[in-house]
Amino acid sequence: MTMLKRICILGCVLWHLTAAALSQPVMTRVLVTAADGRQIADAPTTAFVERDASGVVLRLDPGVTKQTIDGIGSSFTESSAFVLAHLERTRRREVMRRIFAEDGANFTLTRMHIGSCDFSVEGKYSYADEWDDADLSSFSIAPDREGFDPARYPGIRDSGYDLLPMILEAQDIKAGQADSELRIIGSAWTAPPWMKDTGEWFIPGSESNNWQGTGGWLKPEHHATYARYLIRFLDAYKAEGVDLWAITPVNEPNGNGGFWESMHFSAESQNDFVKRHLGPRLAESRHADTRLLIYDQNRDELEHWARVMLGDLETAPYVYGVAVHWYASTVDVFEEALASVRSEFPGFAVVHTEGCIDNLGNPAPNGIRDPAGFQEENWFQNDEFWWTKTATDWAYEAEWAGERAADHPKYVPVHRYARNIIVSLDHWMTGWVDWNVVLDARGGPNHANNFCGAPIMIDTATGDVYYTPIYHVLSQFSRTIRPGDVGVAATLERDGLADDALHACATKNDRGQISVQLLNTTGTAIELDLEIAGAVAPVRVPANAVVTVQLGI
């Protein structure tokens, strides 16, 4: 054999060995947030070897990709801005950096209310409050930037801080980093009341009618007016340097019982509104790149709304996807509905636009329907509250739940967040947005006494800032699941584990790096084998923990 031939053979062998080594997955980082106190903490990595997987197995197929991710994040509200206005500016900037900077949560997908909502300090305002102003000559977004009077609200440190300044501060933080995109979804809770058949912001329910109040319906003669109102909002925010990524026609079109600002649409009437008014007007405006998300309420009606609106060939071209909330159940993610809509309408996104811990665990009947019965539950500066079965959903666990009691048991707040995000992403959801990013120590302010949890809670009397376990879990997801990433096929073999014991999903970025998200809801550690193309690595998921495993291939 000639020397040249030997060199060629050796070269081929080395090339194949190198190629095999390059294709072998490498575990680059493991992050853990757990009930034992770890907060996005590094844990040991393990090596992949060629062997058969056994026991609990998570199999990944990076070659089978799914949906493109729109982002992970939380929401801007007037209540959040009000709480932050109680901090000295340097301290507030620190909190905002923890939310939006690259070395913080680095949230990318967010939401804001258009006009007032329950998480407005006093509520009942729009951008066109002058009665019967069909020309919208009085239109102004001044309520979003006028700030709060310290004489009226003692403790305010920055009287000029408000919803719009909060958004501008977030954009300013993002502008100083390479990953600068901030995607904002705008949702109106209602049109100005003069556009509605009730002429009211909302009409509360009562015990005699099972608490079923109303938000009223948009008058037919004001469908075009309301579409112009939403475009004027986009115009006004653009003039302030804020381009919205998406809008929805209205928040919770099925209503909320008339407890705070709301407005009704049926799937059929919203379809007509989008097809004949909002869709064409948005497409013809300078906001043609602003996406339109329909529905914007609970997942239990996702399939119905998708079929009515996405199934209409005239409406569908105007629509980017469907917005959903999680309040239909504390335990059911409605993954079958998510998969069904993806199968029927593969070209459309499903984005989770709102979820929070309702009522901070107040037991019935002293819950939201009886604010005078508020009970202190010591959730502030108390991580144990968020990691244990302490929360209830609108006090549904008691007699008010009726036939729906099984959907609303007492639950672990962290589990609800992590389960919902992981299972949703594993079933084609493209983005996930939390509700108020900051609230006070009681879960407000809220003009409807609808107090809720938030990732960050601040005692406005003392200035103490509490980063709850929810904040750390959302941060861990946001840092490792970025816009433009794609879902990766992941199959979990439970080997006898209970269905809710372990949840998993995986995503991949444009550099081929994979992030695996795991939730262990049990009180003991779970050992599993992570398998990719025959290579296997052991992974330990501690008790009551969220784990992210990052891989390079």
Side-chain angles (χ1 to χ4, degrees), residues 142-363:
D144 290 352
R145 61 182 171 212
E146 62 190 7
F148 306 99
D149 183 359
R152 187 169 187 178
Y153 300 107
I156 291 288
R157 296 287 191 93
D158 186 347
S159 62
Y161 202 70
D162 208 328
L163 178 61
L164 178 56
M166 182 183 177
I167 294 170
L168 292 172
E169 183 169 24
Q171 287 192 162
D172 182 62
I173 291 168
K174 285 287 189 184
Q177 56 193 45
D179 186 2
S180 61
E181 186 173 16
L182 182 64
R183 300 175 171 184
I184 304 172
I185 302 166
S187 297
W189 265 231
T190 180
W194 53 266
M195 295 187 194
K196 302 192 295 181
D197 58 0
T198 58
E200 301 285 351
W201 296 100
F202 55 94
I203 299 175
S206 63
E207 190 169 2
S208 63
N209 67 0
N210 197 29
W211 304 105
Q212 292 305 303
T214 183
W217 295 73
L218 195 61
K219 291 179 180 179
E221 63 266 32
H222 283 309
H223 279 216
T225 314
Y226 182 54
R228 287 190 290 109
Y229 174 86
L230 294 174
I231 301 299
R232 286 288 298 274
F233 160 77
L234 294 174
D235 287 341
Y237 261 71
K238 187 177 186 67
E240 298 287 344
V242 179
D243 287 304
L244 268 77
W245 182 77
I247 60 169
T248 74
V250 78
N251 172 72
E252 298 184 345
N254 290 326
N256 57 34
F259 285 98
W260 51 81
E261 293 90 331
S262 60
M263 184 174 73
H264 295 269
F265 277 110
S266 65
E268 292 74 16
S269 66
Q270 187 171 110
N271 185 55
D272 186 75
F273 172 69
V274 167
K275 176 167 53 181
R276 301 185 187 282
H277 301 286
L278 183 57
R281 186 168 287 277
L282 187 62
E284 293 164 3
S285 75
R286 56 180 176 156
H287 311 288
D289 291 337
T290 299
R291 294 151 185 82
L292 181 58
L293 295 168
I294 60 170
Y295 186 38
D296 210 4
Q297 200 161 357
N298 293 336
R299 300 175 185 214
D300 54 348
E301 292 197 27
L302 166 62
E303 291 171 284
H304 170 64
W305 281 72
R307 285 168 184 154
V308 169
M309 299 190 69
L310 302 184
D312 188 319
L313 297 181
E314 291 183 73
T315 305
Y318 297 120
V319 177
Y320 176 73
V322 188
V324 294
H325 302 177
W326 76 3
Y327 303 108
S329 174
T330 63
V331 290
D332 189 353
V333 181
F334 292 91
E335 55 265 44
E336 294 85 1
L338 292 170
S340 173
V341 168
R342 179 68 185 199
S343 177
E344 286 190 60
F345 306 103
F348 297 89
V350 178
V351 180
H352 177 98
T353 51
E354 185 182 319
C356 66
I357 303 303
D358 281 319
N359 230 25
L360 294 182
N362 288 350

Side-chain angles (χ1 to χ4, degrees), residues 254-552:
N254 290 326
N256 57 34
F259 285 98
W260 51 81
E261 293 90 331
S262 60
M263 184 174 73
H264 295 269
F265 277 110
S266 65
E268 292 74 16
S269 66
Q270 187 171 110
N271 185 55
D272 186 75
F273 172 69
V274 167
K275 176 167 53 181
R276 301 185 187 282
H277 301 286
L278 183 57
R281 186 168 287 277
L282 187 62
E284 293 164 3
S285 75
R286 56 180 176 156
H287 311 288
D289 291 337
T290 299
R291 294 151 185 82
L292 181 58
L293 295 168
I294 60 170
Y295 186 38
D296 210 4
Q297 200 161 357
N298 293 336
R299 300 175 185 214
D300 54 348
E301 292 197 27
L302 166 62
E303 291 171 284
H304 170 64
W305 281 72
R307 285 168 184 154
V308 169
M309 299 190 69
L310 302 184
D312 188 319
L313 297 181
E314 291 183 73
T315 305
Y318 297 120
V319 177
Y320 176 73
V322 188
V324 294
H325 302 177
W326 76 3
Y327 303 108
S329 174
T330 63
V331 290
D332 189 353
V333 181
F334 292 91
E335 55 265 44
E336 294 85 1
L338 292 170
S340 173
V341 168
R342 179 68 185 199
S343 177
E344 286 190 60
F345 306 103
F348 297 89
V350 178
V351 180
H352 177 98
T353 51
E354 185 182 319
C356 66
I357 303 303
D358 281 319
N359 230 25
L360 294 182
N362 288 350
N366 297 316
I368 187 169
R369 307 196 197 285
D370 180 16
F374 175 83
Q375 296 180 7
E376 183 63 53
E377 284 281 356
N378 191 29
W379 51 78
F380 190 78
Q381 301 283 23
N382 180 12
D383 285 3
E384 185 179 0
F385 170 87
W386 303 87
W387 282 105
T388 55
K389 194 174 286 188
T390 48
T392 60
D393 212 7
W394 286 66
Y396 271 140
E397 69 162 343
E399 65 274 11
W400 293 330
E403 295 179 358
R404 301 180 63 186
D407 278 324
H408 301 277
K410 215 166 190 179
Y411 63 91
V412 179
V414 170
H415 292 178
R416 187 180 186 190
Y417 268 82
R419 178 196 300 115
N420 199 280
I421 294 170
I422 289 172
V423 176
S424 295
L425 293 182
D426 195 46
H427 288 81
W428 302 95
M429 183 163 281
T430 62
W432 206 98
V433 185
D434 171 53
W435 191 203
N436 306 267
V437 68
V438 174
L439 290 174
D440 66 22
R442 184 176 177 177
N446 182 294
H447 73 89
N449 294 309
N450 176 28
F451 302 105
C452 298
I456 303 169
M457 304 188 80
I458 298 174
D459 188 330
T460 54
T462 65
D464 288 342
V465 179
Y466 175 39
Y467 295 91
T468 74
I470 298 299
Y471 166 82
H472 299 295
V473 168
L474 286 174
S475 297
Q476 186 166 313
F477 288 144
S478 175
R479 291 182 188 186
T480 57
I481 305 170
R482 306 299 294 168
D485 292 358
V486 294
V488 168
T491 304
L492 182 61
E493 297 178 4
R494 298 181 180 278
D495 191 38
L497 281 179
D499 288 346
D500 191 47
L502 181 68
H503 298 285
C505 73
T507 54
K508 181 174 69 172
N509 66 22
D510 59 5
R511 299 180 301 282
Q513 298 166 329
I514 295 173
S515 289
V516 180
Q517 313 294 341
L518 298 158
L519 166 66
N520 178 359
T521 67
T522 75
T524 57
I526 295 174
E527 309 286 344
L528 64 88
D529 274 355
L530 179 60
E531 180 186 274
I532 304 178
V536 177
V539 174
R540 185 175 191 273
V541 188
N544 212 0
V546 177
V547 170
T548 300
V549 180
Q550 294 187 293
L551 310 171

Side-chain angles (χ1 to χ4, degrees), residues 4-290:
L4 180 59
K5 200 175 264 190
R6 291 185 182 187
I7 291 172
C8 288
I9 291 172
L10 180 61
C12 288
V13 170
L14 289 174
W15 184 89
H16 283 293
L17 289 173
T18 302
L22 287 174
S23 64
Q24 182 86 337
V26 177
M27 193 177 299
T28 57
R29 196 175 190 190
V30 177
L31 299 172
V32 179
T33 297
D36 63 15
R38 280 179 283 183
Q39 300 171 348
I40 321 181
D42 282 294
T45 59
T46 55
F48 280 87
V49 297
E50 298 291 332
R51 66 171 175 83
D52 291 334
S54 61
V56 180
V57 180
L58 178 62
R59 289 191 169 89
L60 304 183
D61 187 348
V64 178
T65 56
K66 300 162 75 174
Q67 79 279 26
T68 300
I69 302 300
D70 288 317
I72 305 286
S74 192
S75 298
F76 301 100
T77 63
E78 186 185 64
S79 292
S80 291
F82 177 82
V83 172
L84 289 167
H86 284 74
L87 298 182
E88 184 271 327
R89 293 186 184 189
T90 302
R91 188 93 186 282
R92 185 188 72 222
R93 185 75 170 191
E94 176 189 336
V95 174
M96 289 290 284
R97 282 192 53 80
R98 290 283 297 270
I99 299 168
F100 294 108
E102 284 180 311
D103 56 358
N106 203 8
F107 288 153
T108 52
L109 189 63
T110 63
R111 186 178 185 230
M112 66 169 293
H113 51 93
I114 300 172
S116 64
C117 68
D118 49 328
F119 280 94
S120 298
V121 178
E122 296 180 6
K124 297 185 178 180
Y125 71 84
S126 75
Y127 306 131
D129 284 342
E130 185 176 308
W131 210 259
D132 290 333
D133 180 18
D135 293 333
L136 302 179
S137 57
S138 65
F139 188 96
S140 172
I141 60 169
D144 290 352
R145 61 182 171 212
E146 62 190 7
F148 306 99
D149 183 359
R152 187 169 187 178
Y153 300 107
I156 291 288
R157 296 287 191 93
D158 186 347
S159 62
Y161 202 70
D162 208 328
L163 178 61
L164 178 56
M166 182 183 177
I167 294 170
L168 292 172
E169 183 169 24
Q171 287 192 162
D172 182 62
I173 291 168
K174 285 287 189 184
Q177 56 193 45
D179 186 2
S180 61
E181 186 173 16
L182 182 64
R183 300 175 171 184
I184 304 172
I185 302 166
S187 297
W189 265 231
T190 180
W194 53 266
M195 295 187 194
K196 302 192 295 181
D197 58 0
T198 58
E200 301 285 351
W201 296 100
F202 55 94
I203 299 175
S206 63
E207 190 169 2
S208 63
N209 67 0
N210 197 29
W211 304 105
Q212 292 305 303
T214 183
W217 295 73
L218 195 61
K219 291 179 180 179
E221 63 266 32
H222 283 309
H223 279 216
T225 314
Y226 182 54
R228 287 190 290 109
Y229 174 86
L230 294 174
I231 301 299
R232 286 288 298 274
F233 160 77
L234 294 174
D235 287 341
Y237 261 71
K238 187 177 186 67
E240 298 287 344
V242 179
D243 287 304
L244 268 77
W245 182 77
I247 60 169
T248 74
V250 78
N251 172 72
E252 298 184 345
N254 290 326
N256 57 34
F259 285 98
W260 51 81
E261 293 90 331
S262 60
M263 184 174 73
H264 295 269
F265 277 110
S266 65
E268 292 74 16
S269 66
Q270 187 171 110
N271 185 55
D272 186 75
F273 172 69
V274 167
K275 176 167 53 181
R276 301 185 187 282
H277 301 286
L278 183 57
R281 186 168 287 277
L282 187 62
E284 293 164 3
S285 75
R286 56 180 176 156
H287 311 288
D289 291 337
T290 299

